[in-house]
Amino acid sequence: METGELSTIPAPLVVAIDGPSGSGKSSVSRAVARSLGLAYLDTGAMYRAATWWCVDQGVALTDTGAVADAVRALPLVMGVDPQDPTVVVGGTDVTAAIRETAVSAAVSAVATNLDVRAELGRLQRAAIDAERAAGSFSGGRGIVAEGRDITTVVAPDADVRVLLTASEEARLARRALDVHGTADAEAVEATRDQVLRRDADDSTVVEFHTAADGVVTVDSSHLDFQETVDAVLAVVAASTARA
């Protein structure tokens, strides 16, 4: 989508992007947000921040009630600039820390807690609503929000809803490249458990492999990064043209 076409996009615009691990949700969503001049919300980072917070506060992740209570008190500030999205908890910038292996290994215990999902879903809807206002980061243009249940539970009324998917082989290779800097056989195997186990755990509480009614599927298995971004932008253009 060319810059000159931005004026044809209605505002405020909410784009919701769902999909499994390694499908490219985060990087593609950020690029789409930049292209459209929108804010960007990484809801997966919110679950990681909640996990970091619980560990930092000494809360046992097996104690579902204590975890839910801790998350209700979570002092979280999500930066929504797609150029530099940040995550701050209690005044501490945890943008890098929440990507560490220890958090990645523990996040499913928090993400599958239904009370936690309800609380973070509330915060996510509030963040989306905030970008409809003139005084927001996007100036009221809107937001691209991505995450496991964003198209079905958090923002089922989004103007554009996309399920971004890819083959297991492609997803493992991308995550290996992202985490290890290479997609050779050893790196792929090292990331297999992280990707597939997280998907299996999360699928017990939310559906993100099959598109719900009204959600457009973009399969990026054989697309490079820019082609995937362009495919999502084409969905945005087509969806808003029909509105």
Side-chain angles (χ1 to χ4, degrees):
M1 182 172 293
E2 299 297 330
T3 303
E5 295 178 348
L6 292 180
S7 60
T8 66
I9 300 298
L13 175 69
V14 175
V15 179
I17 300 180
D18 205 340
S21 297
S23 60
K25 290 191 307 296
S26 296
S27 55
V28 170
S29 296
R30 287 179 63 184
V32 169
R34 289 194 297 268
S35 295
L36 298 176
L38 305 181
Y40 162 72
L41 180 66
D42 179 353
T43 65
M46 297 174 73
Y47 287 98
R48 288 174 172 273
T51 303
W52 182 92
W53 172 248
C54 288
V55 172
D56 183 70
Q57 297 297 300
V59 177
L61 300 186
T62 54
D63 188 337
T64 56
V67 168
D69 287 341
V71 173
R72 292 188 189 100
L74 176 64
L76 175 65
V77 177
M78 295 293 296
V80 295
D81 182 349
Q83 295 283 9
D84 184 29
T86 55
V87 183
V88 176
V89 177
T92 299
D93 187 331
V94 298
T95 308
I98 63 172
R99 304 295 174 183
E100 293 176 357
T101 302
V103 172
S104 296
V107 67
S108 283
V110 175
T112 54
N113 184 315
L114 295 181
D115 289 333
V116 168
R117 297 196 75 84
E119 173 61 15
L120 293 186
R122 182 186 68 81
L123 296 179
Q124 291 155 16
R125 283 186 285 272
I128 291 169
D129 287 342
E131 291 304 323
R132 293 186 169 106
S136 63
F137 169 83
S138 68
R141 288 192 57 82
I143 190 168
V144 176
E146 55 100 346
R148 297 288 198 188
D149 55 0
I150 201 75
T151 62
T152 54
V153 177
V154 176
D157 59 344
D159 303 288
V160 182
R161 294 185 296 157
V162 175
L163 177 69
L164 183 60
T165 189
S167 67
E168 180 179 302
E169 179 183 16
R171 293 189 293 114
L172 287 171
R174 289 169 186 169
R175 183 54 58 87
L177 189 61
D178 182 51
V179 174
H180 301 287
T182 178
D184 62 20
E186 184 178 355
V188 167
E189 194 57 36
T191 59
R192 181 178 298 277
D193 178 68
Q194 181 187 129
V195 171
L196 301 186
R197 179 178 52 79
R198 173 79 194 279
D199 280 353
D201 288 346
D202 286 1
S203 67
T204 64
V205 293
V206 64
E207 173 56 61
F208 52 86
H209 288 291
T210 304
D213 289 346
V215 178
V216 179
T217 298
V218 172
D219 188 334
S220 66
S221 300
H222 303 294
L223 302 178
D224 64 22
F225 176 72
Q226 190 56 51
E227 288 170 338
T228 305
V229 172
D230 290 343
V232 173
L233 288 172
V235 173
V236 173
S239 298
T240 56
R242 289 194 300 267

